[in-house]
Each structure stands twice: as C-alpha cells, then as structure tokens.
C-alpha cells in the first residue's frame, strides 16, 4: 500500500521549453502533496506544499511563476517547470501524505530533469 | 522550527560489521522521527519511524533506532550490514502539531559497505 508514482522518470529538454512532471498516489487519497528538489549528493529541499483544491504554498526562495504546481485531485499533483534553463537541471521528488499518516510522507521514485 | 543534524556525511564499514548512523534533532515542540533510505537515482523508502511508545523502534531490513529524548537523538543501528545496505540514509523530523505535515531532513549519511 501507499504507492506513489512519478512520470516521467527521466526527461531531457531544450532550454526555454516547459516540462510537466506528474505525481500520483496509486492506492490512497493524498490530502497533501509535497515537491522536493535534490542536487547531487545533497539532501532534499522542499519546494512547495499543496493541498487538494487549493493553491500551493511555496518555500522561501522558490519562484512560484517558474515552478507551477497543480493539485487538482486527491490522487494527482503536477509540477511544471516553465521556461527551463540548465540551472533547473535536478532530481525532482514528490511525496504524498494523508490526514491519518502521522505526518509520514510516501515518496515517489523521482524525476531526473536535464535541461540542455 | 525544527532542525536535524547528521554529523557523519560518510560511514564506511565492512560487510557483517555493526553500524550506527547518528541523528540529532532540535525542536521546541514534540516531534515524530523518521529514517529514510535512498538508493541511487531513486526516491526515498521509509526504514522506520517513531511516533510514541517504546523508544526502541524496529524497521525493515534489520535496522532499528532508539529515541532518546534527553539527548534529542534518534540513532540508526544495524548489527550486521550487507553490501546491499550501501545507500544514502536520511533522518527526518516532523512536528506533531502546526507543522502541516512538513518533514525536515538532515543532510544525509552515505553508508558504504565494503567486502
């Protein structure tokens, strides 16, 4: 139980294009979803928190116009990196939580974004 | 606010030897505590968690951790490691209330098991 998927697992795009990453909770309803960014050999940096049906809450320093987050249903959240640049290349990980999970988050497998 | 310190960035150990990965936290409120493992190019997998009750928590893959409130620590241990335990390990905390389910992660410890 508590499986979270991400799609795509890897994406390579040209500078200036936009990329959408999907995060799905497969066997439970996720009241809250989180998006993280991880640089090589570093810890996870929380980018934003989203609750179903409401606007995402972004962490300080994260550009909300660049990283668009949509949490349209209890099983799907999307992260769109708009006008991507090489410095946006990173490993993006989503996670999902429920009201009864004692703050535990269930993590997706991650998406490797490379911007050329 | 909470913070997590993992003092050891890398821990090399021989196969079948015991290992301890250290984690200390700081918080003004009560917290839940977690250990996650990350294999290369993968997401995080929960090893174990402390919510309440017994301070010794057993998790998957033979790992266990002990919550020590007075020392604000939650060290991870395994009595005998395998090559397959080579991975990055993250300690994390979450406030019981008011945190909005947010996790605060440590910087991670790379466990390298050698033959």
């Amino acid at each position: 139980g508590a499986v979270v998927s991400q799609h795509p697992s890897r994406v390579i795009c040209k500078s200036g294009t936009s990329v959408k990453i999907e995060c799905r909770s497969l066997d439970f309803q996720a009241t809250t979803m989180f998006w993280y960014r991880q640089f090589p050999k570093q810890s996870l940096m929380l980018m934003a928190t989203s609750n179903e049906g409401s606007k995402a809450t972004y962490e300080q320093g994260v550009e909300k116009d660049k990283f668009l987050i949509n949490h349209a249903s209890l099983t799907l959240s999307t992260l769109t990196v708009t006008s991507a640049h090489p410095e946006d290349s990173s490993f993006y990980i989503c996670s999902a939580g429920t009201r009864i999970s004692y703050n535990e988050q269930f993590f997706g497998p991650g998406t490797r974004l490379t911007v050329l | 606010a909470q913070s997590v310190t993992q003092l050891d960035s890398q821990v090399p150990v021989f196969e079948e030897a015991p290992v301890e990965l250290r984690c200390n936290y700081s918080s003004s409120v009560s917290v839940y505590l977690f250990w996650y493992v990350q294999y290369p190019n993968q997401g995080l997998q929960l090893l174990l968690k402390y919510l309440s009750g017994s301070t010794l928590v057993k998790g998957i893959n033979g790992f266990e951790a002990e919550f020590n409130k007075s020392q604000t620590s939650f060290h991870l241990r395994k009595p005998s490691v395998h090559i397959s335990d080579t991975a990055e390990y993250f300690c994390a905390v979450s406030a019981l209330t008011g945190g909005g389910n947010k996790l605060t992660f440590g910087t991670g410890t790379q466990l390298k098991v050698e033959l």
Side-chain angles (χ1 to χ4, degrees):
Chain A
V3 178
V4 176
S5 69
Q6 272 184 252
H7 178 80
S9 58
R10 289 178 174 270
V11 57
I12 300 173
C13 69
K14 292 182 179 179
S15 186
T17 60
S18 294
V19 174
K20 180 184 284 188
I21 303 170
E22 290 187 351
C23 176
R24 292 181 185 274
S25 56
L26 299 184
D27 52 2
F28 67 101
Q29 292 186 327
T31 49
T32 308
M33 284 188 167
F34 304 84
W35 286 95
Y36 295 87
R37 183 172 181 178
Q38 186 180 32
F39 292 103
K41 299 188 185 301
Q42 293 189 27
S43 190
L44 282 72
M45 182 193 80
L46 179 65
M47 299 174 67
T49 304
S50 72
N51 294 298
E52 184 262 341
S54 59
K55 289 184 178 180
T57 301
Y58 290 81
E59 295 299 301
Q60 192 171 7
V62 177
E63 300 175 60
K64 61 181 180 181
D65 294 330
K66 181 166 189 61
F67 299 100
L68 300 178
I69 292 171
N70 183 277
H71 191 165
S73 76
L74 285 171
T75 59
L76 173 65
S77 176
T78 59
L79 167 68
T80 301
V81 183
T82 61
S83 187
H85 291 286
E87 58 265 31
D88 299 324
S89 298
S90 192
F91 194 53
Y92 292 88
I93 304 175
C94 74
S95 70
T98 72
R99 290 194 186 94
I100 59 171
S101 63
Y102 295 100
N103 291 15
E104 179 181 348
Q105 294 178 22
F106 306 97
F107 286 82
T111 297
R112 174 74 59 191
L113 170 64
T114 303
V115 185
L116 302 176
Chain B
Q2 295 76 44
S3 67
V4 179
T5 301
Q6 291 182 250
L7 286 172
D8 305 307
S9 59
Q10 289 189 5
V11 173
V13 62
F14 288 109
E15 193 173 35
E16 297 184 6
V19 70
E20 177 180 85
L21 305 184
R22 296 180 293 168
C23 172
N24 288 86
Y25 70 93
S26 174
S27 177
S28 57
V29 299
S30 295
V31 296
Y32 297 125
L33 295 151
F34 306 86
W35 273 100
Y36 287 90
V37 61
Q38 184 180 34
Y39 299 100
N41 295 309
Q42 294 186 30
L44 273 65
Q45 179 182 6
L46 181 68
L47 277 178
L48 47 80
K49 59 189 176 188
Y50 173 78
L51 305 178
S52 64
S54 173
T55 57
L56 182 62
V57 180
K58 294 189 182 296
I60 62 171
N61 302 341
F63 284 94
E64 63 180 32
E66 185 153 20
F67 169 55
N68 188 320
K69 188 173 182 179
S70 63
Q71 297 186 6
T72 60
S73 67
F74 191 52
H75 301 331
L76 181 71
R77 303 185 185 98
K78 186 170 182 177
S80 176
V81 296
H82 299 128
I83 287 286
S84 59
D85 292 324
T86 295
E88 189 83 19
Y89 292 79
F90 292 98
C91 181
V93 302
S94 180
L96 261 65
T97 57
N101 280 26
K102 282 187 184 180
L103 284 175
T104 300
F105 286 90
T107 51
T109 297
Q110 174 69 42
L111 176 62
K112 186 172 182 181
V113 182
E114 303 167 352
L115 291 171

